[in-house]
Amino acid sequence: MRRTLVSGLSIAGALVLFLFACPGSAGVLVNSAVPFEQLVSVPCADDGSGELVLLTGFLHVLVTATFDANGILHATTHFQPMGVAGTGLTTGDVYRATGITRDEVNGLDVPFETTFVNNFRIIGPGTGNNLLVHEMFHVTVNAVGQVTVLFDRVSTECR
């Protein structure tokens, strides 16, 4: 699911507080359900004509951070829909949102690596009304600051 600016700022604020207030600490920084609302275009809906779907519900937000024995940060973010559903603005069909968005970061400076995975699914009634989005992004930076691995793979499918 796409992060909102407010939740992104809240997570960034929690991480900054953790880094400066709790050196040597580890654990869960955020574990809560936050309200979610988003208008999504589902191009495969309505027999391929497409329609907008207003999704509402909650996102489970989990943010963790740990420093290992070498002082390297290992942080994760996790966003998962909880009871997120919506109605097509054209057809009135009911859709459900499922999936998970996860990000993992290892390191504060160099070396550094991060992996972002987004599985975003809007499931509609019948056949052909499901929108499936998958993205995987990864970057690795070595100790001298050179990018050694970089890829961003995105796929969108109607099924």
Side-chain angles (χ1 to χ4, degrees):
M1 309 257 67
R2 187 178 67 163
R3 296 178 216 175
T4 64
L5 178 60
V6 173
S7 66
L9 291 175
S10 300
I11 291 164
L15 189 55
V16 167
L17 285 174
F18 172 77
L19 293 174
F20 293 105
C22 307
S25 296
V28 174
L29 302 178
V30 176
N31 186 7
S32 64
V34 297
F36 174 82
E37 181 178 87
Q38 185 173 349
L39 190 62
V40 176
S41 174
V42 180
C44 36
D46 194 16
D47 294 322
S49 296
E51 74 175 318
L52 295 174
V53 177
L54 180 60
L55 298 171
T56 60
F58 290 88
L59 283 181
H60 174 224
V61 178
L62 177 64
V63 180
T64 66
T66 303
F67 285 97
D68 66 18
N70 297 317
I72 297 172
L73 173 68
H74 304 278
T76 65
T77 61
H78 167 110
F79 298 86
Q80 188 170 19
M82 294 174 40
V84 175
T87 303
L89 301 183
T90 304
T91 65
D93 287 345
V94 175
Y95 293 82
R96 305 237 181 264
T98 66
I100 186 170
T101 300
R102 183 170 171 78
D103 189 34
E104 182 177 321
V105 176
N106 297 296
L108 284 173
D109 194 7
V110 291
F112 171 87
E113 72 172 5
T114 187
T115 302
F116 171 83
V117 178
N118 181 26
N119 286 303
F120 181 68
R121 297 178 175 92
I122 307 299
I123 308 301
T127 59
N129 285 325
N130 301 329
L131 174 63
L132 313 175
V133 178
H134 176 77
E135 179 177 12
M136 181 175 213
F137 171 83
H138 178 85
V139 64
T140 300
V141 178
N142 67 17
V144 295
Q146 297 170 321
V147 175
T148 58
V149 178
L150 175 63
F151 62 84
D152 189 10
R153 297 183 187 121
V154 180
S155 67
T156 303
E157 177 183 1
C158 288
R159 193 177 336 171

